[in-house]
């Protein structure tokens, strides 16, 4: 007994412009968070070094 598989369904259309805009917003948020984290780490490093020197 051989069963025939049903043909695949058609995918819904994708809005490529909206996907690109969402990706750019996500990238901007990622860079902003990384920048803030970098500044905080730099300040902490400066504080630790100043306590070790003085």
């Amino acid at each position: 007994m051989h069963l025939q598989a049903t043909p695949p369904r058609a995918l819904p259309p994708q809005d490529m412009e909206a996907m690109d805009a969402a990706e750019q917003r996500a990238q901007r948020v990622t860079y902003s968070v990384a920048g803030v984290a970098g500044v905080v780490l730099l300040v902490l490093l400066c504080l630790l070094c100043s306590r070790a020197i003085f």
Side-chain angles (χ1 to χ4, degrees), residues 27-50:
Q27 189 176 25
R28 204 172 306 128
V29 169
T30 302
Y31 288 155
S32 299
V33 169
V36 169
V39 168
V40 168
L41 289 175
L42 183 65
V43 168
L44 287 174
L45 181 65
C46 290
L47 286 172
L48 288 172
C49 288
S50 68

